[in-house]
Amino acid sequence: MNILQVLPGLDLGGVETGVVDFCFFLKEQAHKPVVVSGGGRLTEELAKAGVRHYQLKVGRKSLFSVLFLIPLLRRIILEEKIDIVHARSRVPAWICYFASQNTPAKFITTAHGYYSPHFFSRIMSYGKYVICPSKIIAFHMEKDLHTPRYKIRIIPRGIDNRRFNFVPPEEKLRDFPRLVFLGRISPVKGVEYFVEAVKILTADYPSLKAEIVGEPGRRHQNYYNFLKKLVSKYGLDRNINFSGRKEANEAFSQADILILPSVVPEAFGRVIVEAQLAGVFVIATSLGAPAEIIEEGKTGLLVKAFDVNGISAAVARVIKDKEFYRRVVYQARERALTKYSLSLMAEETLKVYREALDKLNILVIKLSALGDVILGLVGIKALRQYFPHARLIVVTTSQFRDIFENTHFVDKVICVKKERSRWRQLWSLGKMLRSFSLDISVDFQNNTFSHLLSFLSFASQRYGWRRKCGFLLNHTLNYNKQMVLDPVESQAQLLSLLGVPIKDTLPDLKIDKSVVSYWRQQLETAWGRDITSVAVNIGSSPDWQTKDLRVDTWRKVIDYLIRQQKVGVIMVGADYLRKKAQAIKEGLESKYILNLCGRTSLVDLIALIKCCQLVITPDNAIFHISVALRKKTVVFFGPTDPRRHSLKSHNIIVLRRKDLGCLGCYRKRCRNWKCMDFGIDTIASAIDKGLCEREEQ
């Protein structure tokens, strides 16, 4: 793999040293590491190892700088053929996130600290996977930055033990051990409590030596001066030495006990593991990750934050109990070598990289209408078959949730609430989708709203038709109103951009067997076990008057079914069709007619159609449900074109006038309405064919 690490700088520090060590490991394993940073002392080490480094000021908190650097970093990603972009700080993460868009590279983040829960920090949760060095940081990322749990990978920091010379405790057993604090000089590190503890200890051990190793940042120079004044105030100038910046191995070579008196939770505490590898006893406050690294009394000692007496008591215990000191040092080193090794951390990180490359996050947008949603199952199933390990997320309208949740090939369903304006939900939906770090978005809806939603999801590869706001997508097909494609052919063309073939051309609907059993019993009670059931959908929708048959035609159809075919008829449809159903029933043998218009849920409707041998319907959603259930279906087409709205199946019997020139006009209102004027003989012939032929199993 070609792996890009991006961080603000490469001066001495835990994160920086860890990145350099990791790059050395990658090179040894025949991967290609590349580093982008603002430069620093460690760049020389990268150069000696032959690791390519690009110096860009990616740590500068300036909107202009971020916008300027995005195309520069994208050029590096493309020229170096980067597979993984790994960001290790917030500003670099924003640059990496946008730079990796429209490239094959996968974006990964590592949360190296606690971030304030505001928009600027949210970028750290946008990685396809978010690596956390400790359980407490993982909890913080999930709770405060709303990172989905499935994206989080806990990988403790790994240390290259070859950097540290282990000095056996037997060679360090002195009457007055040396204490050391190592880290950046900052109030959050609680260095004043280190000084206070030394003051208490010098009462019993006046010759005790202590060293403060580290430098303050620009913001903490006053704090550094305060510490020096405090040492002088307590008369500890001969006991405590300010050594400035030192390599960790050098600092630990003369030390016996490391004290880490942090007053805020530590994200990891790399210095603890480094001290353990060097044979230095560790005493740390129990805030954050140190409590995960140190086993109390076995690999070190934990004290409460701000507890100066606790720190001094822990040091006194170590001084007095030489056997305890020796045992803990050996146990701590053994645990550090096995649990916090560089090779273990690197291998676990490489697993995350491979998972990011192999396991895609795919978004499918299909909002409406019911029939189109059902037909969309064909394309979604094809995606699942082609990408069996992908995480498949579907955005649909809330009323169609059950259709997708009841399939075995959709991992998550996100709903646009029908009762609220779609446009008011657009930004919040985009925000939710961005948290999934999408690789691919497939827009089966292809309208302005869905194109905007696809864009706001920030999916790297966005597929759809070049219409409406199609310019927001980066992989499109030309849309031509003159094209005559059935719904599956349309999906197949779009999926061909991804190289995805459609094998099964009919949708699969999940059936609730218990509901089917319930309706079978109801039908047997209504007209006996030996009577065949036929579903008749007596209307299309209030907006499509031109798709409906007249009441007298429906009456003739149902009369023929009851008298000639001796079947039971179930009238189905929307609630507004109840009065029409009552009008149709007048004068007919109502014993064999069930009027269920507006009285069934979607689950009930699917179960009822499953119980029927034949379905008679205009071109609407019930037609597509019937086809999905592999039922024999007689369907009427008038203003719409069966070539665009029907599928290829021998279970479908299409009735369409051939003597009119206005067919396929797509008008929702019409004075003449002749295209839906079918003679009963024509319909009866289709019914006979549907009831006689064996339905596809």
Side-chain angles (χ1 to χ4, degrees):
M1 289 180 282
N2 298 338
I3 300 163
L4 176 63
Q5 306 284 320
V6 187
L7 65 166
L10 276 175
D11 281 314
L12 290 175
V15 175
E16 295 82 353
T17 303
V19 168
V20 171
D21 289 344
F22 183 45
C23 287
F24 293 166
F25 178 89
L26 292 174
K27 194 142 181 86
E28 289 173 1
Q29 298 298 314
H31 299 288
K32 178 185 174 183
V34 180
V35 179
V36 170
S37 80
R41 306 178 192 186
L42 293 176
T43 55
E44 294 180 7
E45 290 194 36
L46 290 177
K48 290 176 184 177
V51 176
R52 180 165 293 182
H53 173 260
Y54 292 88
Q55 186 164 332
L56 297 175
K57 295 187 180 299
V58 291
R60 184 177 291 173
K61 293 181 180 179
S62 160
L63 179 60
F64 176 79
S65 177
V66 168
L67 295 175
F68 176 75
L69 290 172
I70 288 171
L72 298 182
L73 188 62
R74 179 181 286 120
R75 190 181 306 160
I76 293 171
I77 291 170
L78 294 174
E79 289 178 356
E80 298 287 353
K81 298 179 180 178
I82 297 297
D83 300 302
I84 298 292
V85 177
H86 192 160
R88 296 176 177 272
S89 186
R90 289 176 292 180
V91 176
W94 280 109
I95 299 169
C96 291
Y97 183 70
F98 288 105
S100 59
Q101 292 287 309
N102 305 331
T103 75
K106 307 304 177 188
F107 175 61
I108 305 289
T109 60
T110 291
H112 285 289
Y114 288 87
Y115 304 115
S116 302
H118 51 65
F119 176 74
F120 179 69
S121 301
R122 186 65 62 85
I123 186 64
M124 299 307 292
S125 68
Y126 284 2
K128 185 167 183 181
Y129 293 105
V130 179
I131 297 174
C132 299
S134 60
K135 294 177 183 177
I136 194 164
I137 290 296
F139 178 77
H140 160 66
M141 292 300 295
E142 182 181 356
K143 179 178 179 291
D144 297 329
L145 293 179
H146 310 293
T147 308
R149 184 176 298 181
Y150 80 90
K151 290 173 60 170
I152 294 174
R153 299 291 182 272
I154 299 175
I155 304 177
R157 304 266 289 279
I159 316 296
D160 186 355
N161 66 289
R162 294 173 296 183
R163 288 180 175 269
F164 299 92
N165 299 319
F166 174 67
V167 181
E170 292 82 3
E171 298 179 18
K172 287 188 173 183
L173 291 175
R174 303 183 266 250
D175 291 333
F176 304 105
R178 293 177 177 270
L179 311 182
V180 65
F181 166 86
L182 175 62
R184 70 180 187 277
I185 308 301
S186 165
V188 299
K189 294 296 183 179
V191 188
E192 67 266 38
Y193 300 104
F194 176 85
V195 175
E196 297 276 1
V198 172
K199 174 180 177 293
I200 294 173
L201 287 164
T202 52
D204 294 323
Y205 307 100
S207 300
L208 183 141
K209 297 295 182 182
E211 188 176 20
I212 296 175
V213 180
E215 292 180 346
R218 286 179 297 177
R219 294 183 301 166
H220 300 134
Q221 189 62 47
N222 290 337
Y223 179 69
Y224 187 62
N225 295 334
F226 159 74
L227 292 174
K228 285 190 170 183
K229 290 178 182 178
L230 189 65
V231 169
S232 297
K233 175 184 175 181
Y234 290 151
L236 299 174
D237 297 281
R238 297 178 60 183
N239 301 95
I240 298 178
N241 179 42
F242 288 87
S243 303
R245 184 188 292 269
K246 273 188 182 181
E247 289 279 359
N249 187 50
E250 181 186 353
F252 292 141
S253 62
Q254 298 299 317
D256 302 290
I257 301 173
L258 169 72
I259 298 176
L260 195 66
S262 302
V263 295
V264 299
E266 290 280 352
F268 179 67
R270 178 187 174 95
V271 67
I272 294 174
V273 180
E274 292 176 336
Q276 291 173 337
L277 289 170
V280 174
F281 194 102
V282 180
I283 298 170
T285 52
S286 56
L287 295 176
E292 298 176 31
I293 299 173
I294 296 174
E295 291 184 83
E296 174 65 16
K298 294 183 179 180
T299 61
L301 289 174
L302 293 169
V303 297
K304 294 179 180 179
F306 311 102
D307 187 359
V308 176
N309 292 323
I311 295 172
S312 59
V315 174
R317 178 184 176 185
V318 175
I319 294 173
K320 293 174 182 176
D321 193 341
K322 299 291 195 297
E323 178 56 29
F324 172 68
Y325 168 78
R326 188 192 68 80
R327 184 175 69 253
V328 168
V329 167
Y330 277 116
Q331 289 175 169
R333 175 174 166 78
E334 184 63 29
R335 189 167 187 267
L337 287 171
T338 55
K339 191 167 182 179
Y340 302 107
S341 69
L342 174 63
S343 59
L344 179 61
M345 180 273 291
E347 287 295 346
E348 290 298 312
T349 305
L350 285 173
K351 285 181 184 178
V352 175
Y353 291 170
R354 294 188 188 101
E355 190 176 1
L357 291 172
D358 295 340
K359 191 170 183 179
L360 299 176
N361 292 329
I362 301 175
L363 171 69
V364 177
I365 302 175
K366 191 60 191 172
L367 302 168
S368 63
L370 177 57
D372 294 332
V373 166
I374 291 169
L375 292 171
L377 293 172
V378 174
I380 296 172
K381 184 178 180 181
L383 284 167
R384 168 58 71 211
Q385 290 172 336
Y386 194 76
F387 300 109
H389 304 298
R391 181 176 176 83
L392 204 53
I393 301 161
V394 172
V395 173
T396 189
T397 309
S398 54
Q399 67 194 104
F400 306 131
R401 175 190 289 272
D402 290 342
I403 292 175
F404 295 110
E405 285 191 338
N406 288 330
T407 65
H408 62 278
F409 42 80
V410 173
D411 295 299
K412 186 172 182 63
V413 180
I414 296 174
C415 290
V416 178
K417 295 179 181 177
K418 184 183 177 183
E419 61 275 10
R420 290 177 56 195
S421 166
R422 283 184 178 181
W423 300 103
R424 291 181 180 178
Q425 300 176 68
L426 184 61
W427 181 255
S428 61
L429 285 168
K431 180 180 176 182
M432 183 188 302
L433 292 173
R434 288 193 293 275
S435 71
F436 292 103
S437 304
L438 298 164
D439 299 292
I440 295 171
S441 168
V442 181
D443 189 349
F444 281 151
Q445 192 67 36
N446 284 294
N447 60 22
T448 301
F449 179 85
S450 62
H451 287 160
L452 283 167
L453 186 59
S454 181
F455 174 74
L456 290 175
S457 75
F458 287 178
S460 297
Q461 311 297 321
R462 302 184 294 278
Y463 295 83
W465 291 90
R466 195 175 295 120
R467 64 190 296 261
K468 303 290 184 180
C469 291
F471 63 89
L472 296 173
L473 312 178
N474 46 31
H475 299 278
T476 56
L477 285 173
N478 286 324
Y479 179 78
N480 186 346
K481 289 184 177 181
Q482 305 305 316
M483 286 191 302
V484 179
L485 299 173
D486 72 36
V488 172
E489 289 172 340
S490 175
Q491 293 177 56
Q493 281 211 8
L494 190 55
L495 293 179
S496 67
L497 293 176
L498 289 88
V500 176
I502 289 182
K503 298 176 182 178
D504 301 328
T505 57
L506 293 178
D508 285 332
L509 270 180
K510 187 76 172 180
I511 304 164
D512 191 322
K513 293 181 180 179
S514 63
V515 180
V516 173
S517 177
Y518 167 80
W519 281 109
R520 286 195 194 280
Q521 292 177 4
Q522 295 298 310
L523 296 177
E524 286 179 11
T525 302
W527 46 59
R529 181 174 296 183
D530 298 328
I531 301 294
T532 298
S533 298
V534 174
V536 177
N537 175 26
I538 61 171
S540 180
S541 75
D543 296 331
W544 279 94
Q545 171 209 1
T546 51
K547 284 187 180 183
D548 290 348
L549 299 182
R550 292 181 173 86
V551 170
D552 60 332
T553 304
W554 278 124
R555 188 179 291 119
K556 291 175 184 178
V557 170
I558 294 175
D559 185 60
Y560 178 80
L561 286 167
I562 296 171
R563 293 181 182 275
Q564 300 299 320
Q565 292 294 343
K566 309 296 184 185
V567 300
V569 174
I570 309 167
M571 287 195 288
V572 294
D575 187 62
Y576 81 95
L577 294 169
R578 285 192 187 188
K579 290 183 179 180
K580 183 178 180 180
Q582 286 298 120
I584 292 170
K585 281 181 66 176
E586 290 178 7
L588 298 177
E589 191 175 349
S590 59
K591 176 184 177 183
Y592 293 102
I593 302 174
L594 282 180
N595 177 12
L596 296 181
C597 292
R599 298 178 183 176
T600 58
S601 66
L602 180 56
V603 174
D604 287 322
L605 179 61
I606 292 171
L608 269 169
I609 292 174
K610 182 65 178 175
C611 296
C612 295
Q613 184 174 339
L614 178 69
V615 178
I616 304 172
T617 177
D619 166 32
N620 73 348
I622 290 179
F623 164 48
H624 298 304
I625 293 174
S626 178
V627 172
L629 296 175
R630 280 54 169 178
K631 291 294 176 181
K632 279 290 180 182
T633 308
V634 175
V635 57
F636 303 99
F637 277 94
T640 55
D641 189 341
R643 294 175 299 172
R644 294 177 183 266
H645 305 286
S646 184
L647 302 179
K648 295 178 177 64
S649 170
H650 67 263
N651 281 336
I652 302 173
I653 303 168
V654 175
L655 293 183
R656 194 185 194 207
R657 296 280 298 267
K658 298 180 180 179
D659 55 342
L660 298 174
C662 61
L663 295 173
C665 66
Y666 285 86
R667 290 184 179 178
K668 297 183 178 182
R669 295 285 185 271
C670 181
R671 292 180 181 179
N672 298 322
W673 200 6
K674 289 183 178 180
C675 62
M676 295 298 285
D677 188 6
F678 294 91
I680 188 58
D681 292 340
T682 302
I683 301 173
S685 177
I687 290 172
D688 293 346
K689 184 179 179 182
L691 289 174
C692 291
E693 290 185 4
R694 178 176 176 271
E695 66 180 68
E696 180 184 333
Q697 296 300 317

